[in-house]
Amino acid sequence: MEVYFTIEKTATAAFKDRGSKFISYAYPVKTPEQVKEFLQEVKKEHPKATHHCYAYRLGTDGLAFRANDDGEPSGSAGKPILNQIDSKDLTDVLVIVVRYFGGTLLGVPGLINAYKTATALVLQLVPSVQKNVEATLTLDFDYTMLNDIMKVVRAHNCTVISQDLQLFCSMKIGVPKSQLELCLLKLKDLRGVEVKAK
């Protein structure tokens, strides 16, 4: 797998069913810590909501995921949210759906439909973007080599993740998997550049 799909913007949507109000939020996320931060934000914003249900999928392999019903009947909230994320083939995405109970019980099929719809609505608002699956490399080099390094970085569509540019520099880059071998060859051709694969 050389590419994956994710979102880069946040969005909010709302859906009503028999008096209950469902407000959905979509966030681009990379770590479980970010998930916790967004969840706390939403809980602060909606302290009187009955439920704060959510699901996320992380990583280019999509193996890190979670679905949380937050007190709704098992499988009636988190799973439909996750299924919508998966139906769009997305990763590095968190969707939180806040529910204000309207007095009428929706039953499990009604809940599944409401959480599914609220998630579908919010995901329609954010365009999915295709990203390259990247390998991470750490480069250590003398400042005089910066231009040569940047030429290789640009030529291979690499992402600069972090950099510390002093007299002696360190840079962390993400290299598209399809470009990795060629990029490594070019970097190793440069004198005095130390390349470490993560």
Side-chain angles (χ1 to χ4, degrees), residues 4-9 89-90 126-132:
Y4 65 98
F5 294 89
T6 186
I7 61 172
E8 290 185 321
K9 295 187 174 83
D89 209 13
L90 296 170
V126 272
S128 69
V129 287
Q130 183 178 313
K131 297 254 185 139
N132 291 312

Side-chain angles (χ1 to χ4, degrees), residues 111-146:
L111 287 172
I112 290 172
N113 182 57
Y115 282 103
K116 175 185 163 183
T117 306
T119 305
L121 288 171
V122 78
L123 290 176
Q124 278 167 14
L125 298 175
V126 272
S128 69
V129 287
Q130 183 178 313
K131 297 254 185 139
N132 291 312
V133 175
E134 294 180 332
T136 307
L137 299 179
T138 304
L139 314 175
D140 293 311
F141 54 93
D142 195 275
Y143 189 77
T144 54
M145 298 300 294
L146 184 61

Side-chain angles (χ1 to χ4, degrees), residues 60-96:
T60 50
D61 54 11
L63 295 178
F65 65 93
R66 180 138 187 239
N68 187 311
D69 296 315
D70 192 37
E72 291 282 32
S74 180
S76 68
K79 209 159 184 195
I81 297 171
L82 186 62
N83 288 344
Q84 283 304 301
I85 293 171
D86 291 347
S87 75
K88 286 193 162 267
D89 209 13
L90 296 170
T91 190
D92 290 345
V93 173
L94 162 69
V95 175
I96 303 170

Side-chain angles (χ1 to χ4, degrees), residues 22-69:
F22 298 84
I23 305 162
S24 49
Y25 295 85
Y27 299 99
V29 287
K30 288 271 184 205
T31 63
E33 289 72 43
Q34 283 179 304
V35 169
K36 281 189 195 114
E37 283 166 28
F38 285 127
L39 200 55
Q40 282 166 345
E41 264 177 45
V42 170
K43 283 182 175 176
K44 257 190 215 142
E45 206 178 310
H46 299 280
K48 293 189 164 72
T50 340
H51 304 280
H52 304 86
C53 306
Y54 67 93
Y56 64 80
R57 190 171 287 284
L58 301 175
T60 50
D61 54 11
L63 295 178
F65 65 93
R66 180 138 187 239
N68 187 311
D69 296 315

